Amino acid sequence: MRLFKTILLLMLVASLVPTVMVGLLSVSDTRELLVRDAQELAQERVKQLKLKAEGFLAEPTRAVMGMARVPNFFALPLEQQQTYLRAVLNQRREVQAITLFGPGGKRLPGLQAFAVSDVPPTALAEHEARAVGLLEGLSGLRYADVVWRPSGEAVVTFAFPVGEPTKGYISADVSLVELQTMLAQERVGSTGFVYLADAKGHVLAGGGGLVANQDVSGRPVVAHLLQGVARTPDTDILHVGNFGETDDAVVAAYATLADPHWAIVSEQPVALAYKQVETMERRLLLTVLTATLVALGLAAFFSRSVTRPLKGFTQGALELAQGKFGLEVNVPQKNELGELARTFNYMSKQLLAYDHENRGLYESLEQGYLETIVALANSIDSKDSYTRGHSQRVGDVAVEIGRELALSERELKQLQFGGILHDIGKIGIVESILCKQSRLTDEEMAIMREHPAIGDSIIKPISFLQAMRSCVRSHHERWDGTGYPDGLKGEDIPLLARIVGCADTFDACTSTRPYQKAMPLEKAMEILDNLSGKQLDPAVVSALRRVLEKKGVRVEGHRLPVKLAS
C-alpha cells in the first residue's frame, strides 16, 4: 500500500508535463501570430519602397525619353539638339550624362552633354562604352549593370531607340545617390533594415551596415530571390517569409522591379516579433520552476523508500550473476518491497543448494571423463612395457607448456585430455608392429603412420572430445611441412597439436625405448633445439625450456625431469 502511495505521488508530479505543454503551446501560437503580423508589415513595406524606387528611376528616364517625342529630333539643327540636351541636364540633377548615337550605333559629333561637376571627362569614355554595349539588338528601353564611382556613388546607364524605323539612339547616366540616401535612412523596427540588390546579388543601396557593392548573394533571403528571378526573369516577384537558421532567422520580404531587374529587400530579426510574448514566457518559466522544485522535493522524499531497496536488489543480482549464491538483501520495510526481498533471499539460498549439487555432479562427470580417457590410453600403453605411462606423461608436460604460453583453463584441460589420447589410434595397429623390439621396415612404418588418422576416426563420434581431435590427428605434423597425415606446415598446424607433439618428442627422448636409453635432460633439450624450426614449433620449444628452468629438477633414469601437475 505504501508503494502504491509513492507511485501515486510520482504520478501527481508527472502532471506537471501537461501544464508545461499547454503553456508552451500558448506561447508558440502567440509567437506564430506575431510573426505573421511581422510578415504582413514587411510585405507592405517592400511594396511601398518598390513604388518609390520605380518612381525614382522613372522620372529621369521620362525626362530623357521626352527628347524622343520631339518631332524629327534627329533632323533638327545641331544647336537646337544641344539646347534640349542642356535642358534635360539642368532639369534633372540625377541625370549626369547624355549621348546621342546614329542609327548605325556611332556617336553623333557634338551631341554629348554631361554635368561637369559630377562627371570628370575621363569618365565619359566609360559612359560611352557602356552605352555602345546596350545598343546591340536594342528594341526598347534597356538598363546596364550599375557601376561605382570612387566616391561610392552608384550610376546606372540606360539606352533606347528613337523612331520607326530607328533614326538613332539616346543613352544617359543616372546617379542613384538620392535612392541610396533614402534607403539608408529607412528603418524596420529597432534593428531591421531594407536594401536594394541587383540581379547578381550585390547591394546597390541600403542600411543595416551593408557596404555599397557588397556581395549578399549568400544571405538566405537573397539566395531565394535569385532562384526566383532565374526561373521567371521577366515577371515581378513578391515574397515574404522566415529565412535563415534558428539563431539568425529573419522575417524578410522582397519585391522585384519591372526594369531593371533589381529587388527591394526588407529584413528584421525574428526575435523582435517575440517582444510581446517575453512577459508571458517569463511567467510560464517561473511557474514551471516553482512546480519543478515542489515536484523534486516530493520525489526526493518518497523515492528514497523505493530507490534504496532497489539498489540493494541490483547489487545482489550482480553478485548472484557472479556466482555468490546464498547472498541476502536486508529490506526491513513491510510492504511489497519487503516481500520481494524475502523472495529474493529464498531464491538465493535455493541457488546455493543447486550450485553445490551441480558442482558435485560436474566434478563426478569430469572425473568419469578423465577415468575413461585414462583407461583408453592405458589400453594402448599396456601393450608395450616401454611405453607404459607415456600418454599420461605427455598430457602432463603439454599442460605445463600450455600454462607457460598463458593458455586458458579450458585449453589446458583440452591439452591434458589430448595428450592422454594422442596415441589412441594405435589400437588399430597390429601388435606385431606395435610391440616390435627392433626398427620398423618402411612398410611397417607406413602402417604405423596411420595411427593419427585412426585415432581421429575413433574419437570423432564422441561430442565432448571434439576439441581434442587436432591433438590426436596432427601431433605428428612437422613445422617444415614434412609430417603426416596431412602435411600441414608452420602455424597451419593447430597450436594444441604443436604442444602435444613437442611433449611427445620430449618424453620419447627422456624415456627408455627398445632402440634407445633415456637421455639426460641436457641431451634431450639439445635434440629438441636441433628439431626446433624443422619438426617442432620454436615458440613451443622455448616454452618447454622455460618450464624446465623454473622447475630445476634433473633427469634420473627414465623419469620425467620435472614434477608436473595433473
Side-chain angles (χ1 to χ4, degrees):
M1 194 64 183
R2 294 180 181 177
L3 182 59
F4 174 78
K5 291 180 178 179
T6 301
I7 296 175
L8 180 61
L9 286 173
L10 292 176
M11 292 177 63
L12 290 175
V13 172
S15 64
L16 287 173
V17 174
T19 303
V20 174
M21 291 300 297
V22 170
L24 292 177
L25 289 174
S26 299
V27 172
S28 176
D29 291 342
T30 305
R31 182 184 292 111
E32 291 178 2
L33 178 61
L34 293 174
V35 170
R36 191 158 50 247
D37 291 343
Q39 292 176 347
E40 292 176 357
L41 289 173
Q43 185 175 358
E44 289 301 318
R45 184 181 299 110
V46 295
K47 283 182 179 179
Q48 295 299 322
L49 291 175
K50 171 190 174 181
L51 294 176
K52 289 184 180 180
E54 288 177 339
F56 176 85
L57 282 176
E59 291 182 5
T61 301
R62 280 196 298 268
V64 175
M65 295 183 71
M67 292 186 294
R69 291 190 291 272
V70 176
N72 297 319
F73 176 77
F74 279 90
L76 295 175
L78 177 62
E79 291 183 1
Q80 193 171 352
Q81 290 174 327
Q82 290 176 341
T83 300
Y84 279 110
L85 293 179
R86 287 191 294 270
V88 172
L89 289 176
N90 291 331
Q91 293 171 5
R92 307 302 309 182
R93 296 288 300 174
E94 61 269 39
V95 179
Q96 295 186 345
I98 304 176
T99 303
L100 272 62
F101 297 88
K106 294 189 64 175
R107 180 171 64 83
L108 298 177
L111 292 179
Q112 185 178 63
F114 62 95
V116 178
S117 59
D118 297 324
V119 182
T122 56
L124 285 177
E126 298 175 1
H127 155 71
E128 186 177 337
R130 290 193 299 273
V132 171
L134 291 172
L135 299 184
E136 184 177 355
L138 185 64
S139 59
L141 180 65
R142 181 186 295 172
Y143 288 88
D145 292 338
V146 173
V147 297
W148 301 87
R149 298 274 168 78
S151 62
E153 177 185 11
V155 176
V156 63
T157 303
F158 67 88
F160 59 90
V162 178
E164 185 63 37
T166 301
K167 297 181 175 57
Y169 301 92
I170 302 177
S171 177
D173 276 2
V174 177
S175 171
L176 304 180
V177 170
E178 293 184 10
L179 183 60
Q180 289 176 293
T181 302
M182 183 265 291
L183 292 179
Q185 296 173 349
E186 191 74 23
R187 289 290 179 270
V188 181
S190 59
T191 58
F193 56 94
V194 296
Y195 55 92
L196 179 67
D198 64 13
K200 295 181 179 179
H202 291 177
V203 174
L204 302 180
L210 298 179
V211 181
N213 202 27
Q214 178 180 344
D215 185 359
V216 292
S217 59
R219 298 175 78 91
V221 59
V222 179
H224 188 275
L225 162 66
L226 296 179
Q227 291 175 0
V229 172
R231 288 193 298 267
T232 55
D234 297 324
T235 304
D236 292 350
I237 303 175
L238 177 63
H239 186 83
V240 64
N242 287 5
F243 298 87
E245 300 297 330
T246 303
D247 295 338
D248 301 320
V250 295
V251 178
Y254 60 80
T256 58
L257 280 64
D259 196 12
H261 293 301
W262 299 344
I264 293 290
V265 183
S266 170
E267 293 189 18
Q268 181 183 16
V270 171
L272 292 179
Y274 299 161
K275 279 193 172 181
Q276 298 179 22
V277 82
E278 286 181 356
T279 303
M280 182 189 302
E281 289 180 334
R282 283 196 295 268
R283 290 176 180 174
L284 175 64
L285 179 61
L286 181 61
T287 302
V288 171
L289 287 177
T290 303
T292 301
L293 290 176
V294 174
L296 286 175
L298 291 174
F301 178 77
F302 289 103
S303 66
R304 291 186 66 182
S305 61
V306 177
T307 56
R308 280 187 175 180
L310 289 179
K311 288 181 179 178
F313 288 135
T314 302
Q315 184 63 32
L318 290 174
E319 294 186 11
L320 280 181
Q322 295 169 358
K324 297 181 181 179
F325 303 123
L327 176 75
E328 295 186 4
V329 295
N330 181 22
V331 180
Q333 298 176 3
K334 295 181 180 180
N335 54 20
E336 289 85 347
L337 290 175
E339 293 179 5
L340 179 60
R342 289 190 290 273
T343 304
F344 181 91
N345 294 338
Y346 175 75
M347 176 189 68
S348 180
K349 292 177 181 178
Q350 290 297 107
L351 287 174
L352 179 61
Y354 294 150
D355 181 61
H356 287 161
E357 182 178 352
N358 288 336
R359 285 179 183 272
L361 292 173
Y362 179 79
E363 291 172 359
S364 176
L365 181 61
E366 190 175 62
Q367 184 63 30
Y369 286 161
L370 181 59
E371 290 173 355
T372 301
I373 292 171
V374 171
L376 289 172
N378 288 340
S379 68
I380 301 302
D381 293 348
S382 64
K383 291 185 177 184
D384 187 352
S385 60
Y386 286 101
T387 60
R388 186 168 291 113
H390 166 70
S391 297
Q392 184 68 51
R393 292 195 301 272
V394 170
D396 292 341
V397 173
V399 170
E400 291 294 333
I401 296 174
R403 187 171 288 114
E404 182 63 27
L405 291 174
L407 299 187
S408 66
E409 287 298 323
R410 182 181 182 85
E411 291 171 315
L412 293 179
K413 184 68 67 176
Q414 292 170 358
L415 274 177
Q416 184 182 38
F417 289 179
I420 294 173
L421 288 173
H422 76 285
D423 278 339
I424 189 66
K426 288 183 179 180
I427 290 177
I429 307 299
V430 296
E431 291 190 14
S432 60
I433 296 176
L434 185 64
C435 300
K436 188 175 181 179
Q437 299 299 310
S438 59
R439 288 190 175 276
L440 301 178
T441 65
D442 292 343
E443 292 78 6
E444 292 170 335
M445 182 58 70
I447 295 173
M448 179 63 77
R449 287 182 175 178
E450 294 177 2
H451 80 272
I454 295 173
D456 183 38
S457 65
I458 291 174
I459 68 172
K460 182 177 179 181
I462 306 173
S463 59
F464 80 92
L465 294 179
Q466 294 304 301
M468 284 68 84
R469 287 180 60 188
S470 64
C471 300
V472 175
R473 183 176 184 86
S474 303
H475 70 278
H476 278 299
E477 300 287 354
R478 294 173 59 97
W479 186 258
D480 58 8
T482 61
Y484 60 90
D486 301 313
L488 300 179
K489 182 178 181 180
E491 294 187 357
D492 291 339
I493 306 170
L495 176 59
L496 300 185
R498 282 181 266 154
I499 295 174
V500 170
C502 181
D504 187 23
T505 304
F506 176 76
D507 188 72
C509 292
T510 56
S511 302
T512 298
R513 298 293 174 91
Y515 48 84
Q516 72 173 30
K517 292 184 179 181
M519 300 178 187
L521 175 61
E522 293 80 3
K523 180 63 176 177
M525 287 309 301
E526 182 180 345
I527 291 176
L528 264 65
D529 287 338
N530 291 333
L531 295 176
S532 177
K534 300 175 184 177
Q535 176 180 331
L536 304 177
D537 182 350
V540 175
V541 175
S542 298
L544 175 58
R545 178 175 291 279
R546 293 195 297 273
V547 169
L548 298 177
E549 290 174 352
K550 291 179 180 179
K551 300 295 182 180
V553 181
R554 297 183 61 81
V555 176
E556 295 181 3
H558 67 280
R559 292 169 52 198
L560 282 174
V562 294
K563 183 180 180 181
L564 301 172
S566 61

